[in-house]
Amino acid sequence: MELQELVNQSRRIVFFGGAGVSTESGIPDFRSQDGLYHQHYAYPPEVILSHTFFMKQPEEFYRFYRDKMLPLEAKPNQAHLKLAEMEQKGRLKAVVTQNIDGLHQLAGSKRVYELHGSIHRNYCMKCHKFYSPETIRDSTGVPKCTCGGTIKPDVVLYEEGLDEEILTQSVKAISRADLMIVAGTSLTVYPAAGLLHYFQGAHLVLINRDATPMDGMADLVIHEKVGEVLGKLKIEPLEGE
């Protein structure tokens, strides 16, 4: 069965995406050959992006973060735009994303569950005042609040737990879906990858350049770029919505 046919017959689609959804917007993923994990810094990215490292060496953390984690010039690609259209026409009920770049919202998606937080939200650890990503980008060293506290991005670092409310909403959306499209993720990062097990609907589709541990579970597996695949879809409005 083709993806177009599955989309046409589905009324409650949920999209679950990872870094591969944003690579066509020029944002590197983590695990591919040209991704962040294959670039050289004084410390490995997974060490820098940990809670312990942030607390102990915030200046080094922010040097890496400004350089690699703040793609504020990036624009939504075909995948983001098509998903926003699917939601607008009543077929897509939620986007569950591991990405922190905010491109789904920029494309027009309304119901987006950000498992790993967002670069667009930054808070003072002392007084909780909000700061924009531009504030982080344009600062030097460790960004400080007007109260003197350290500003921290609202992103989930290694050693930190996921937001319980976001997890609950994601599980609820996935468990109610009749079609789940999983794309641009290696499905090796937990607990996020474990959310797939809550899907009880009719069809599971996996779109990823490389094979994943869950390919065997899927009704349809497509090893191509996410934006190119989704961009070809023709979305009909859902009648009765």
Side-chain angles (χ1 to χ4, degrees):
M1 193 174 283
E2 296 297 318
L3 180 58
Q4 181 70 64
E5 190 180 345
L6 292 173
V7 169
N8 289 349
Q9 67 186 34
S10 300
R11 301 179 65 85
R12 297 185 309 280
I13 303 171
V14 167
F15 179 85
F16 180 95
V21 177
S22 293
T23 51
E24 290 164 86
S25 294
I27 300 174
D29 67 1
F30 277 79
R31 288 172 176 77
S32 67
Q33 208 47 48
D34 53 353
L36 287 181
Y37 279 16
H38 292 272
Q39 298 177 14
H40 297 292
Y41 288 83
Y43 303 88
E46 62 265 38
V47 171
I48 298 174
L49 296 174
S50 69
H51 180 82
T52 299
F53 193 92
F54 175 81
M55 298 303 290
K56 289 183 176 177
Q57 300 193 55
E59 194 155 338
E60 190 66 23
F61 170 90
Y62 269 113
R63 187 176 294 126
F64 178 87
Y65 185 83
R66 286 190 191 93
D67 190 26
K68 293 296 176 187
M69 307 298 288
L70 275 179
L72 298 183
E73 309 305 315
K75 298 286 190 287
N77 62 47
Q78 291 182 91
H80 302 105
L81 296 170
K82 186 61 66 173
L83 290 166
E85 180 190 348
M86 289 168 72
E87 181 186 51
Q88 188 256 324
K89 291 184 175 176
R91 292 192 181 273
L92 184 77
K93 299 308 177 188
V95 169
V96 181
T97 181
Q98 295 173 280
N99 296 340
I100 59 175
D101 51 46
L103 291 180
H104 285 294
Q105 291 93 328
L106 199 56
S109 289
K110 305 297 184 192
R111 187 168 295 169
V112 182
Y113 299 123
E114 296 172 306
L115 295 173
H116 296 155
S118 173
I119 62 171
H120 295 279
R121 298 187 299 270
N122 304 274
Y123 297 97
C124 170
M125 297 175 72
K126 192 174 175 183
C127 75
H128 306 294
K129 183 179 177 181
F130 174 86
Y131 286 92
S132 71
E134 288 80 12
T135 302
I136 307 298
R137 180 194 63 195
D138 299 338
S139 63
T140 55
V142 180
K144 295 289 186 180
C145 176
T146 50
C147 79
T150 296
I151 301 171
K152 182 182 183 294
D154 186 20
V155 300
V156 179
L157 302 176
Y158 289 100
E159 305 165 348
E160 295 179 345
L162 303 190
D163 183 288
E164 287 297 329
E165 179 62 23
I166 297 294
L167 268 179
T168 300
Q169 294 298 330
S170 300
V171 167
K172 189 181 294 184
I174 290 169
S175 64
R176 291 175 176 174
D178 55 5
L179 169 64
M180 186 167 176
I181 302 173
V182 180
T185 170
S186 60
L187 292 175
T188 56
V189 176
Y190 283 81
L195 293 178
L196 266 67
H197 297 295
Y198 290 97
F199 177 65
Q200 305 161 25
H203 298 288
L204 175 65
V205 175
L206 292 183
I207 308 169
N208 199 50
R209 283 192 314 184
D210 305 310
T212 78
M214 306 218 183
D215 282 9
M217 290 172 52
D219 299 282
L220 178 63
V221 177
I222 304 172
H223 289 153
E224 296 175 38
K225 291 181 177 178
V226 184
E228 291 180 5
V229 174
L230 296 186
K232 295 172 186 171
L233 294 174
K234 299 284 187 286
I235 310 300
E236 295 296 326
L238 193 59
E239 293 179 12
E241 287 293 302

